[in-house]
Amino acid sequence: MTQTRMLSVVLPVYNEETTLPELHRRLTDVMEALGRSYELVFVDDGSTDQSHEILQRMHSEDSHIRILKFSRNFGHHIALTAGLDYAQGDAVVLMDADLQDQPEEIPRLLETYEQGFDVVVGIRRNKKFPWYRRMLSQSFRWLLKKSLGVTFAGGVFRILSRRVVEEVKRCRESDRMLLGLIQWVGFRQTQVDVEHGARYAGASKYSLRKQWELARNTLLTFSTTPLRLATHLGNLFLFVSLVGLFHRLWSGGWQAFSGWPVVTLLILFVGGIQLVCTGILGSYLARVVNDTRSRPLYVIEEDSPSKPPQPKP
Ligand code: UDP
Ligand code: MG
């Protein structure tokens, strides 16, 4: 059982002018009712509408608000990262600012968290995304699980303990899939179901390009399997071509060793060798990639210092 004295809520904001006042009102109601000290960290990710002016107005009226303003649009996960860097609470809530993640669910997350967890992820019931988004995201999760054994549950809405925040802060890779990093850190993680609301106003700020970038980052930063694909393909091509070539030699001798089937097999053979070589390069590259990520190599949960030697009786 952990008692949270101070709670930070991190909210990435990109052109959410219509939603901000309502968000602030609902958040304040929830946080005041919780009776803990709290801060609301709004990260303005280079908004081009009136979001920043509205945030500043809210800031002048509410001492709980902190605004971090980016110089330009850096993207959702970088905004969340900045929020984590500056948040001061014992526990930090991450949530989207469009009211799809509902402030009223925070007490439930906190309740589970205080039972002794480090990460409580909100699993969104009845996702309010268009059907093609749900389908794309589900197939991607399925693909990740089947091919790489990686599962990432839930959306952004979650609560993190101070020690998880500190470990995530040590991961400074630039193409980041923050939710994956949080999972990677470990400690006691669990999930609770949360209601997913419709967007309060405006349209999704996640263009198809941004979704694609996130999917690519997820794939490339959590696995080097795609790099090894070349070796596997190359081996397959080599095997097929060698079997084919030997078969022709065996059945027809040198006379039959001509014509387009042989040319095709030879192309396959050379292609196979090239792919295997690319794969070998890939394996070396994978190691470079792993090292340049410069993630900390381990996370220590507890350090029991050695005892001084006991004096002999
Ligand atoms: N957002 C951001 N930077 C971006 C895109 C989005 O900070 O480049 C914010 C946005 O204001 C919202 C959250 O990230 O608070 C999630 O974005 P959105 O609701 O558009 O994504 P969706 O819910 O459609 O996945
Ligand atoms: Mg949204």
Side-chain angles (χ1 to χ4, degrees), residues 29-312:
D29 283 353
V30 169
M31 300 310 280
E32 291 294 337
L34 276 176
R36 324 281 171 94
S37 63
Y38 69 93
E39 63 171 352
L40 308 176
V41 183
F42 288 92
V43 186
D44 179 2
D45 185 12
S47 296
T48 50
D49 64 356
Q50 291 295 304
S51 293
H52 193 65
E53 288 70 21
I54 294 172
L55 282 174
Q56 274 181 322
R57 199 174 332 127
M58 281 158 42
H59 180 255
S60 64
E61 291 161 5
D62 181 353
S63 60
H64 296 99
I65 291 183
R66 174 171 202 162
I67 311 173
L68 302 168
K69 186 182 183 309
F70 277 177
S71 57
R72 63 171 169 86
N73 180 243
F74 279 89
H76 189 198
H77 285 222
I78 302 284
L80 288 165
T81 305
L84 284 184
D85 286 345
Y86 284 84
Q88 292 179 322
D90 312 313
V92 181
V93 173
L94 298 180
M95 63 190 288
D96 286 346
D98 58 352
L99 284 171
Q100 288 199 277
D101 299 335
Q102 308 198 359
E104 293 74 21
E105 301 275 20
I106 293 178
R108 288 201 321 118
L109 287 181
L110 186 65
E111 193 189 318
T112 311
Y113 170 80
E114 291 190 330
Q115 286 165 11
F117 290 99
D118 287 277
V119 178
V120 182
V121 180
I123 302 293
R124 298 165 296 190
R125 267 183 273 124
N126 329 312
K127 284 193 207 162
K128 299 285 191 314
F129 288 127
W131 63 270
Y132 61 88
R133 267 271 312 258
R134 289 201 307 269
M135 205 182 70
L136 269 179
S137 127
Q138 258 172 16
S139 344
F140 183 63
R141 281 172 202 257
W142 182 85
L143 183 86
L144 272 182
K145 187 159 190 284
K146 285 286 164 212
S147 61
L148 317 174
V150 184
T151 36
F152 294 122
V156 163
F157 201 16
R158 56 188 62 206
I159 183 166
L160 316 177
S161 66
R162 173 49 50 193
R163 62 177 177 174
V164 165
V165 172
E166 289 306 318
E167 296 301 342
V168 172
K169 275 161 75 174
R170 297 205 295 149
C171 304
R172 303 315 287 182
E173 60 206 57
S174 48
D175 297 320
R176 48 180 44 230
M177 190 324 185
L178 185 69
L179 309 183
L181 288 178
I182 292 171
Q183 185 167 318
W184 175 87
V185 161
F187 296 117
R188 279 173 285 277
Q189 308 211 357
T190 190
Q191 308 172 348
V192 296
D193 281 351
V194 292
E195 208 52 61
H196 193 224
R199 216 171 202 291
Y200 181 73
S204 169
K205 308 297 180 301
Y206 251 92
S207 55
L208 216 56
R209 189 175 64 86
K210 282 186 175 167
Q211 283 174 54
W212 163 246
E213 271 171 16
L214 185 64
R216 204 190 50 197
N217 280 348
T218 311
L219 209 66
L220 296 185
T221 56
F222 281 92
S223 113
T224 45
T225 308
L227 273 177
R228 282 199 296 277
L229 219 61
T231 317
H232 297 324
L233 268 179
N235 282 335
L236 181 75
F237 286 3
L238 265 184
F239 180 74
V240 171
S241 64
L242 281 176
V243 168
L245 287 171
F246 275 120
H247 174 73
R248 273 198 92 76
L249 265 180
W250 196 263
S251 53
W254 278 113
Q255 287 87 340
F257 206 72
S258 63
W260 66 265
V262 172
V263 173
T264 313
L265 287 170
L266 284 176
I267 290 175
L268 211 58
F269 180 72
V270 175
I273 289 183
Q274 281 176 343
L275 270 176
V276 169
C277 294
T278 315
I280 293 173
L281 278 181
S283 311
Y284 283 103
L285 188 62
R287 274 149 191 77
V288 177
V289 168
N290 275 334
D291 282 350
T292 49
R293 274 180 198 148
S294 58
R295 277 184 211 167
L297 291 178
Y298 53 84
V299 175
I300 299 172
E301 175 163 3
E302 211 177 310
D303 178 12
S304 318
S306 59
K307 296 194 181 77
Q310 299 294 314
K312 290 205 175 74

